[in-house]
Amino acid sequence: MSQHRRRDPRVLKIIRNRLHPLHGQYVDSSTIKQFGPSGLLRKFPHRVGTIAANGRRRINRLGGHAPSFSMSQPLEALVNLPLHQVKQPEFYILVVLDCVAGRLTEHDKDCLGFAQMLANRKGQAGAVLAVIFGESKDTDLTLFGIDRLLHITDDAVQGYQPELCCEYLSQIIAQFNPKHIIFPDSIFAGADLGRRIAAKLALSVATSAWKLVEDELTCRASQGLSDIKSPLTDVILLLEQAYEPTSEYRYETLLLDIPKIAMYKSSLQDDGLVEVDPSQIPLAEAGFIIAGGNGITDWPLFHRTAELLGATKGASRVAVDDGFMARDRQVGATGTWVSAQVYIAVGISGAIQHLQGISRCEKVIAINIDDSCDMIKRADLSVIGDSQAILAELNQLCLQTKKVVDDVA
Ligand SMILES: Cc1cc2nc3c(=O)[nH]c(=O)nc-3n(C[C@H](O)[C@H](O)[C@H](O)COP(=O)(O)OP(=O)(O)OC[C@H]3O[C@@H](n4cnc5c(N)ncnc54)[C@H](O)[C@@H]3O)c2cc1C
């Protein structure tokens, strides 16, 4: 097993939550206070917290000094989280998940966290009923706040079939009469489906919601320039990072029978996915990005690897300023804010302006020689070493895989 230290995003969340039952197991209290040689408490204001979707800084309660973890840490302790059960729900909160490529997104998890808060506030005992359309590849869904699950695997809902999904949702809403219906306000399915169902059933709706105080929602408006207040609505389209995902319990995730829908003829015909040139995909919409920075010396190798991986190319500002990449490829605060499912940062140090631009990325992989740089701290997976050697190895692996696939074909 590799000797490199790894960090587990789930454990990091436990560390940020001082009230979590497992908090003490992971936090070495000596890392909370950092005193300088003079005996004064030292603070690093630039490293405190991250910028959330609402544009506000989220403060890490450890003061931005989250330690890293070795694989030997007691991760099995997570399995022993207490089980949260709702035997007789007083009401339901319905959450319709995006489940991109069969996996829950971070945005989905935020929505489930929000739904659990709605189900349990003011001493109530509601249950969170989640709906997944199509394939689900997540092996353990019990950690994310799902009390009841409706998994609709009907072949007809594969691909883009919003009318059919709305038909299913109408049946589900009629059967369970949920108090609120939550969708991720995302470019995947949530934003479209949420608005469609609200219009179809004439339900009240709040979009771009990011805060709830008492019974008042705050929603982004005017393209993010202002906020508007709204009373709690039937349908809530929630922004990413508006709420913390659940981490205190395991949840029952009881699989329920899917309601039957009448024979339905969709007016839409989905012709399936169309292959596109990854370099033509706008950075903001790309799902898989490989970005290069000042740590790259062999740019032709970087381009070859990106093409073999089928990834969209991005760059740090230094790489753009030095003329290695076009200006429209710059990722970051003064470039493009990206929201890829996978973001590979090659030879990028992780300056705050760059990290802001990738704050919505799901999985970040860092390739760097410096194992203490900020990009490595942000990454879910890190490869420590010379970027040229690692890209060359990746290139070889891609070519071998391609050959095997061609041989089989
Ligand atoms: C107002 C303002 C706005 C800005 N906006 C942006 C923005 O939108 N986007 C942006 O990216 N930056 C932006 N910047 C610049 C930003 O502050 C950083 O300077 C820049 O992101 C650094 O780019 P870099 O990480 O590629 O380079 P460096 O900081 O030089 O980092 C290079 C990294 O490569 C690693 N490395 C070196 N050699 C190798 C090797 N052989 N193999 C592997 N790794 C290696 C090093 O360890 C280091 O971590 C902005 C700055 C300002 C002042």
Side-chain angles (χ1 to χ4, degrees), residues 33-264:
K33 290 179 183 173
Q34 304 230 333
F35 290 97
S38 60
L40 291 176
L41 187 64
R42 301 186 85 173
K43 289 184 182 173
F44 300 96
H46 299 297
R47 290 169 61 189
V48 175
T50 53
I51 306 296
N54 51 36
R56 297 193 176 185
R57 188 176 289 276
R58 292 184 128 191
I59 304 293
N60 175 345
R61 294 186 192 117
L62 275 180
H65 299 284
S68 38
F69 302 92
S70 73
M71 292 301 279
S72 60
Q73 278 196 288
L75 286 178
E76 64 276 11
L78 290 173
V79 179
N80 296 326
L81 283 173
L83 181 68
H84 179 276
Q85 280 179 304
V86 193
K87 295 238 162 67
Q88 301 279 318
E90 288 171 18
F91 58 88
Y92 286 101
I93 304 287
L94 183 66
V95 186
V96 184
L97 302 166
D98 273 346
C99 219
V100 178
R103 298 201 187 280
L104 291 195
T105 62
E106 294 302 311
H107 201 167
D108 284 337
K109 294 175 195 169
D110 295 345
C111 289
L112 288 166
F114 180 64
Q116 275 297 340
M117 182 276 293
L118 283 177
N120 295 299
R121 72 191 194 130
K122 299 182 181 169
Q124 305 171 103
V128 172
L129 170 64
V131 179
I132 294 178
F133 287 107
E135 190 187 16
S136 169
K137 291 183 191 156
D138 284 304
T139 47
D140 188 1
L141 287 170
T142 61
L143 290 170
F144 307 113
I146 304 174
D147 296 307
R148 309 280 189 276
L149 176 65
L150 282 163
H151 186 189
I152 299 164
T153 48
D154 183 348
D155 279 350
V157 297
Q158 309 290 344
Y160 182 67
Q161 286 300 346
E163 294 175 350
L164 187 55
C165 293
C166 277
E167 200 59 31
Y168 269 110
L169 287 177
S170 306
Q171 288 293 328
I172 293 166
I173 293 166
Q175 184 176 333
F176 292 92
N177 190 23
K179 207 169 185 177
H180 301 285
I181 308 155
I182 319 247
F183 292 84
D185 203 349
S186 69
I187 55 164
F188 300 109
D192 179 36
L193 216 48
R195 286 162 174 85
R196 277 177 189 265
I197 199 77
K200 182 175 166 146
L201 303 181
L203 301 171
S204 59
V205 57
T207 60
S208 301
W210 64 272
K211 192 162 87 174
L212 175 70
V213 178
E214 294 298 324
D215 282 344
E216 188 180 69
L217 280 167
T218 308
C219 307
R220 285 265 104 157
S222 322
Q223 295 191 325
L225 294 177
S226 66
D227 279 335
I228 49 170
K229 309 274 185 194
S230 140
L232 255 179
T233 47
D234 302 325
V235 176
I236 303 168
L237 287 109
L238 196 72
L239 280 184
E240 202 172 3
Q241 293 192 13
Y243 265 80
E244 284 282 330
T246 60
S247 61
E248 282 88 1
Y249 301 102
R250 291 178 78 84
Y251 295 81
E252 269 187 305
T253 321
L254 280 179
L255 207 55
L256 303 183
D257 290 336
I258 301 158
K260 295 262 174 299
I261 55 163
M263 275 293 284
Y264 184 76

Side-chain angles (χ1 to χ4, degrees), residues 292-297 315-319 321 330-336 346-355 357 367-371 373-375 383 385-390:
N294 206 15
I296 291 188
T297 49
S316 73
R317 178 159 152 182
V318 169
D321 287 349
Q330 183 184 319
V331 173
T334 49
T336 306
V346 191
I348 298 178
S349 58
I352 184 71
Q353 296 90 352
H354 194 90
L355 291 184
I367 300 176
N368 207 300
I369 39 170
D370 176 5
D371 71 354
C373 74
D374 286 330
M375 185 58 85
V383 188
D386 174 51
S387 61
Q388 278 56 241
I390 291 160

